[in-house]
Amino acid sequence: MDNFEDFPANGGGQLPPGQLGEVIKVGGDWFAQFTFPLSDFADFDDNCLYIAPWAIFKGNGGEHWAGDMTAGNENHPWRYFTFCIQECEPLVEEPVEICESAYMYSDDDSTLNSVYPRPANWGWYLEYDVNTAQESYPLYAGAGQNEISKGTHVGNVIIHYNPDYSVYAEIVMLGDYELRGQHTFVGDALPTGKRPGPGQYTNSGDMNEDGKVVIIVHADVCWEE
């Protein structure tokens, strides 16, 4: 009911259960089925409906009302509850920030863990020759086990080889990917011994001035999804 006064209570305040709805028997189990088209209750008070459920339970379970409010009289009480409709703001999911390590990709054979078995972290190095080098190289994030199909192409690296034999790497990010940190190693050969972490990279340029250097570019990259 859209108003409490619309309940079909009799003169004594009792609510006859037989007027509450249809009882349907399916497969040996009894259940009460009620349909309340909201379009039939255009003027209900405070956007609330008043509902009075009643049921008979098997095995001398008796007759029972359900609800958190009581009506009727002391000898014949009955119960009901309210169902209220509220307008809610649409649920907006907050974006999730994802941060990954990224490395400049050269080719499938130039992996860092092929040179440094421990730790077996992914990444690549580039044997750069100023006479044959290409203009830029892709930067991949999250490409575990050196599989670029698992990673994300987040930017490109442009190598600048200067007349004074210094070398530096310029990272150009794609789309909304954000560069949070960059580490570049440049030398005539890869470091010997233990693999250096990105924070230990050095850039000595082309010391022997032959136009050939080894380069590693690592970056910290973040984006939102």
Side-chain angles (χ1 to χ4, degrees), residues 12 82 86 104 113 115 122 156 173 195 202 217 221:
T82 57
Q86 298 178 339
M104 177 182 68
N113 52 8
V115 179
W122 66 282
N156 295 300
M173 303 303 296
R195 172 178 172 174
T202 58
V217 177
V221 179

Side-chain angles (χ1 to χ4, degrees), residues 40-57:
D40 293 346
F41 302 95
D43 299 321
F44 49 88
D45 295 337
D46 299 325
N47 290 336
C48 292
L49 298 177
Y50 296 88
I51 303 174
W54 174 85
I56 299 175
F57 290 86

Side-chain angles (χ1 to χ4, degrees), residues 71 114 133:
S114 67

Side-chain angles (χ1 to χ4, degrees), residues 66-218:
D68 57 353
M69 291 179 282
T70 303
N73 55 51
E74 182 177 349
N75 296 323
H76 300 283
W78 52 277
R79 303 184 70 83
Y80 67 98
F81 65 90
T82 57
F83 173 79
C84 297
I85 300 173
Q86 298 178 339
E87 292 186 7
C88 301
E89 294 293 331
L91 180 62
V92 178
E93 294 186 3
E94 294 294 329
V96 177
E97 184 178 65
I98 297 175
C99 294
E100 292 278 4
S101 287
Y103 280 93
M104 177 182 68
Y105 173 77
S106 54
D107 59 69
D108 291 342
D109 296 326
S110 301
T111 63
L112 288 171
N113 52 8
S114 67
V115 179
Y116 306 102
R118 296 288 183 274
N121 296 334
W122 66 282
W124 302 276
Y125 64 91
L126 169 66
E127 293 181 322
Y128 181 89
D129 186 336
V130 68
N131 297 307
T132 60
Q134 61 192 56
E135 183 176 346
S136 67
Y137 300 84
L139 182 72
Y140 281 96
Q145 299 179 333
N146 302 300
E147 295 185 21
I148 59 176
S149 61
K150 295 181 179 179
T152 303
H153 184 195
V154 296
N156 295 300
V157 182
I158 301 173
I159 304 299
H160 297 270
Y161 187 95
N162 299 318
D164 62 354
Y165 305 106
S166 63
V167 181
Y168 76 94
E170 176 188 4
I171 296 179
V172 179
M173 303 303 296
L174 299 176
D176 294 327
Y177 298 110
E178 181 180 346
L179 179 65
R180 296 284 181 87
Q182 176 180 348
H183 309 92
T184 303
F185 170 85
V186 179
D188 289 321
L190 285 170
T192 58
K194 184 179 178 181
R195 172 178 172 174
Q200 301 171 314
Y201 288 173
T202 58
N203 185 348
S204 59
D206 186 3
M207 297 290 289
N208 60 14
E209 302 179 2
D210 64 353
K212 299 178 181 180
V213 290
V214 178
I215 303 173
I216 306 171
V217 177
H218 171 271

